[in-house]
Amino acid sequence: MRIVLLGAPGSGKGTQSQLLVKAHGVPQVSTGDLLRNAVSKGTELGLRAKAAMDGGKLVDDATVLGMIRERLKLADAAKGFILDGFPRNIAQAEALQTLLAELGTPLESVVLMNVDLKILFKRLTGRRICQDCGRVFNVYTSPPPSPPHGANCVAAPKLIQRPDDKEDVIGERLAVFEALTKPLIPYYRSLGLLRIVDADADVDTVFKGIETAVQSGALGAGARSGGGIRG
Ligand code: AP5
């Protein structure tokens, strides 16, 4: 499986990536997670990225492309990958095509996860993350269960909110998606890679939609299928 999950902030890319990792045994490559990791370690790259991330802007292409190049060259990515949050503009998409051609691992599909704007906003303002295990919850759609949700987590986990999930920053992130990331839709459609999934449904239904969409990509067909999936 070599796919891109393309979608606005809060469309469920991270949630679905986790399910795909379990089902297919290929790594999730999330530029957001790689960048947050660098920020929390206080590396030079992290310090450079922090201001852009906190303001809801994109981190510069050179930084992100350098990170992706290193990550996709690791051994586990040879068997496949789920790109989550990358690429995010045309320059990144073109650089990815070149890199994957060099590595001999072309994309099979790009899955666009479509979600209504109002729902995106609610998902993002409601997202909370367990400080102990990193598991993602949502105060509206999937509150943390009690007693503890994980072996190493305390009964009342400390739930944190991402700094960029504050209302004013969410507006900027959605605007950046509209202006810079949406042009990837015609770009990937023209390459015959685009599959569109209705991601306004519950997590399991969305997962089934992605699985169906991805299968049509792996077969190399420009196939169109029902059940909320379009190409
Ligand atoms: P990144 O971490 O990639 O954030 P994002 O794209 O804005 O996406 P999110 O992580 O917010 O949402 P998601 O789609 O993964 O949704 P999730 O599954 O968590 O990027 C952060 C920042 O890093 C960027 O703003 C930028 O600064 C920088 N950056 C990253 N990549 C970059 C790049 N390539 N170039 C330049 N800069 C880059 O779900 C959200 C919530 O909804 C959760 O609470 C979840 O539980 C809930 N939920 C999920 N699915 C459902 C469902 N089906 N039903 C109900 N609730 C659901």
Side-chain angles (χ1 to χ4, degrees):
M1 164 178 279
R2 294 187 299 273
I3 65 166
V4 169
L5 291 186
L6 178 64
S11 55
K13 303 181 296 296
T15 302
Q16 295 299 328
S17 292
Q18 294 285 316
L19 298 176
L20 290 165
V21 166
K22 273 194 204 140
H24 296 273
V26 296
Q28 169 193 14
V29 176
S30 157
T31 39
D33 286 348
L34 292 170
L35 288 164
R36 274 185 292 279
N37 196 23
V39 170
S40 70
K41 284 184 178 153
T43 64
E44 197 192 316
L45 187 157
L47 294 174
R48 249 191 352 254
K50 189 176 179 341
M53 295 176 79
D54 286 352
K57 310 268 189 211
L58 292 188
V59 174
D60 67 280
D61 288 345
T63 298
V64 173
L65 287 168
M67 248 172 34
I68 279 286
R69 224 171 263 125
E70 292 309 307
R71 182 61 188 89
L72 290 182
K73 284 181 182 167
L74 296 182
D76 65 341
K79 59 183 175 181
F81 47 78
I82 299 149
L83 288 172
D84 160 9
F86 177 89
R88 266 175 137 98
N89 59 29
I90 295 285
Q92 291 183 8
E94 287 174 347
L96 177 65
Q97 288 297 101
T98 306
L99 173 64
L100 295 181
E102 279 167 27
L103 296 173
T105 53
L107 285 178
E108 292 167 352
S109 6
V110 174
V111 179
L112 173 66
M113 299 176 58
N114 251 348
V115 181
D116 183 77
L117 196 65
K118 266 194 218 141
I119 292 179
L120 290 174
F121 204 79
K122 192 170 173 186
R123 283 191 190 172
L124 290 168
T125 51
R127 174 166 49 193
R128 298 291 184 277
I129 300 160
C130 172
Q131 198 178 34
D132 295 320
C133 71
R135 192 164 149 193
V136 176
F137 296 101
N138 195 289
V139 295
Y140 304 115
T141 58
S142 54
S146 100
H149 55 272
N152 297 319
C153 299
V154 291
K158 182 157 192 310
L159 297 175
I160 52 173
Q161 191 177 27
R162 267 174 45 176
D164 58 349
D165 278 348
K166 302 277 183 325
E167 286 190 19
D168 50 334
V169 187
I170 291 173
E172 181 60 29
R173 289 164 66 201
L174 293 172
V176 167
F177 176 78
E178 285 292 322
L180 299 177
T181 310
K182 264 199 170 169
L184 295 181
I185 298 172
Y187 174 83
Y188 281 121
R189 184 177 281 125
S190 74
L191 296 180
L193 292 171
L194 191 73
R195 306 286 179 274
I196 304 175
V197 170
D198 176 9
D200 244 354
D202 64 84
V203 171
D204 290 343
T205 304
V206 176
F207 179 66
K208 284 182 195 134
I210 293 175
E211 286 283 33
T212 307
V214 162
Q215 274 164 24
S216 72
L219 293 172
R224 284 164 185 267
S225 38
I229 302 155
R230 289 174 287 129

